[in-house]
Protein backbone atom coordinates (compact mmCIF):
# COMPACT_ATOMS: atom_id res chain seq x y z
CA UNK A 1 0.00 0.00 0.00
CA UNK A 2 0.94 3.67 -0.07
CA UNK A 3 2.64 3.67 3.37
CA UNK A 4 -0.05 5.66 5.18
CA UNK A 5 -0.37 3.00 7.88
CA UNK A 6 -4.18 3.01 7.56
CA UNK A 7 -6.12 -0.17 7.18
CA UNK A 8 -7.90 0.10 3.82
CA UNK A 9 -10.70 -2.18 5.07
CA UNK A 10 -11.81 0.19 7.90
CA UNK A 11 -11.35 0.13 11.64
CA UNK A 12 -10.12 -2.87 13.58
CA UNK A 13 -12.25 -4.41 16.33
CA UNK A 14 -9.80 -3.04 18.91
CA UNK A 15 -10.21 0.51 17.59
CA UNK A 16 -14.01 0.22 17.70
CA UNK A 17 -13.92 -1.05 21.30
CA UNK A 18 -11.59 1.77 22.40
CA UNK A 19 -13.83 4.35 20.67
CA UNK A 20 -16.92 2.92 22.40
CA UNK A 21 -15.16 3.02 25.78
CA UNK A 22 -14.18 6.66 25.30
CA UNK A 23 -17.73 7.50 24.21
CA UNK A 24 -19.17 5.69 27.25
CA UNK A 25 -16.88 7.59 29.62
CA UNK A 26 -17.83 10.92 28.04
CA UNK A 27 -21.55 10.16 28.27
CA UNK A 28 -21.18 9.05 31.89
CA UNK A 29 -19.44 12.30 32.80
CA UNK A 30 -22.11 14.37 31.06
CA UNK A 31 -24.91 12.39 32.72
CA UNK A 32 -23.35 12.94 36.15
CA UNK A 33 -23.07 16.66 35.48
CA UNK A 34 -26.68 16.79 34.31
CA UNK A 35 -27.89 14.99 37.47
CA UNK A 36 -25.99 17.45 39.64
CA UNK A 37 -27.46 20.37 37.70
CA UNK A 38 -31.02 19.04 38.18
CA UNK A 39 -30.41 18.46 41.90
CA UNK A 40 -28.96 21.95 42.41
CA UNK A 41 -31.81 23.55 40.48
CA UNK A 42 -34.37 21.73 42.65
CA UNK A 43 -32.58 22.81 45.84
CA UNK A 44 -32.50 26.45 44.70
CA UNK A 45 -36.13 26.43 43.60
CA UNK A 46 -37.19 25.15 47.02
CA UNK A 47 -35.12 27.72 48.88
CA UNK A 48 -36.32 30.64 46.76
CA UNK A 49 -39.95 29.56 47.16
CA UNK A 50 -39.42 29.15 50.92
CA UNK A 51 -37.91 32.62 51.10
CA UNK A 52 -40.85 34.23 49.32
CA UNK A 53 -43.68 32.46 51.15
CA UNK A 54 -41.80 32.47 54.46
CA UNK A 55 -41.30 36.25 54.40
CA UNK A 56 -44.99 36.67 53.57
CA UNK A 57 -46.07 34.42 56.45
CA UNK A 58 -43.68 36.20 58.82
CA UNK A 59 -45.23 39.55 57.86
CA UNK A 60 -48.71 38.13 58.63
CA UNK A 61 -47.49 36.91 62.02
CA UNK A 62 -45.80 40.21 62.85
CA UNK A 63 -48.93 42.19 61.99
CA UNK A 64 -51.19 39.78 63.87
CA UNK A 65 -53.32 38.84 60.85
CA UNK A 66 -52.22 35.20 61.22
CA UNK A 67 -53.50 33.82 64.52
CA UNK A 68 -52.24 30.25 64.15
CA UNK A 69 -48.91 28.84 65.22
CA UNK A 70 -48.54 26.21 62.48
CA UNK A 71 -50.05 25.08 59.23
CA UNK A 72 -49.61 24.07 55.62
CA UNK A 73 -49.55 26.55 52.77
CA UNK A 74 -52.30 26.49 50.15
CA UNK A 75 -51.89 24.93 46.70
CA UNK A 76 -49.50 25.21 44.82
CA UNK A 77 -47.26 25.44 47.90
CA UNK A 78 -48.89 22.62 49.85
CA UNK A 79 -45.61 20.71 50.17
CA UNK A 80 -44.46 23.51 52.50
CA UNK A 81 -45.49 23.47 56.15
CA UNK A 82 -44.76 26.11 58.76
CA UNK A 83 -44.58 26.50 62.51
CA UNK A 84 -43.91 29.55 64.63
CA UNK A 85 -42.80 29.94 68.21
CA UNK A 86 -42.69 33.13 70.23
CA UNK A 87 -40.18 34.28 72.78
CA UNK A 88 -40.82 37.28 75.00
CA UNK A 89 -38.44 40.14 74.29
CA UNK A 90 -37.04 42.45 76.99
CA UNK A 91 -39.36 45.29 75.93
CA UNK A 92 -42.49 43.14 76.25
CA UNK A 93 -42.77 42.42 72.54
CA UNK A 94 -42.37 39.01 70.97
CA UNK A 95 -39.53 37.55 68.98
CA UNK A 96 -41.01 35.26 66.32
CA UNK A 97 -39.14 32.24 64.97
CA UNK A 98 -40.80 30.87 61.85
CA UNK A 99 -39.67 27.50 60.51
CA UNK A 100 -40.62 26.21 57.07
CA UNK A 101 -40.21 22.54 56.17
CA UNK A 102 -40.66 20.83 52.84
CA UNK A 103 -39.62 17.82 50.78
CA UNK A 104 -38.00 18.16 47.40
CA UNK A 105 -39.11 16.04 44.47
CA UNK A 106 -36.17 13.75 45.21
CA UNK A 107 -37.60 13.13 48.71
CA UNK A 108 -35.01 15.06 50.72
CA UNK A 109 -36.31 17.16 53.59
CA UNK A 110 -35.31 20.77 53.83
CA UNK A 111 -35.86 23.45 56.43
CA UNK A 112 -35.49 27.21 56.54
CA UNK A 113 -35.94 29.54 59.54
CA UNK A 114 -36.87 33.21 59.73
CA UNK A 115 -36.89 35.64 62.65
CA UNK A 116 -39.21 38.55 63.19
CA UNK A 117 -40.59 40.80 65.89
CA UNK A 118 -44.07 41.72 67.04
CA UNK A 119 -44.48 44.77 69.28
CA UNK A 120 -46.43 44.50 72.50
CA UNK A 121 -50.10 45.50 72.21
Amino acid sequence: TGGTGLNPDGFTLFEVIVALMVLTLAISALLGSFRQLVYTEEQLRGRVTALIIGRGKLAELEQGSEKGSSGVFAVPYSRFSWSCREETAADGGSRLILTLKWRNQNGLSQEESFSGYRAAD
Side-chain angles (χ1 to χ4, degrees):
T1 59
T4 61
L6 296 176
N7 183 352
D9 297 329
F11 296 107
T12 65
L13 180 59
F14 177 74
E15 291 169 329
V16 170
I17 291 173
V18 168
L20 286 174
M21 287 175 41
V22 169
L23 183 63
T24 301
L25 289 172
I27 289 173
S28 295
L30 288 174
L31 188 59
S33 296
F34 180 73
R35 272 194 222 133
Q36 183 63 39
L37 177 68
V38 169
Y39 173 79
T40 301
E41 189 269 337
E42 175 65 23
Q43 296 283 85
L44 289 174
R45 182 182 303 154
R47 289 197 180 281
V48 168
T49 302
L51 178 65
I52 293 167
I53 63 176
R55 290 290 178 195
K57 181 58 70 178
L58 186 60
E60 291 174 5
L61 290 161
E62 288 173 334
Q63 295 170 4
S65 61
E66 173 63 66
K67 302 297 183 194
S69 62
S70 66
V72 176
F73 289 91
V75 174
Y77 307 110
S78 55
R79 67 186 177 120
F80 292 83
S81 63
W82 64 276
S83 62
C84 181
R85 74 175 202 274
E86 290 187 46
E87 298 173 352
T88 304
D91 63 359
S94 297
R95 180 173 181 250
L96 305 171
I97 296 103
L98 175 68
T99 303
L100 266 64
K101 295 181 181 180
W102 70 97
R103 285 195 180 279
N104 284 332
Q105 292 175 354
N106 57 15
L108 294 176
S109 294
Q110 285 192 269
E111 184 175 303
E112 194 73 36
S113 293
F114 305 88
S115 295
Y117 178 81
R118 181 170 45 215
D121 296 329

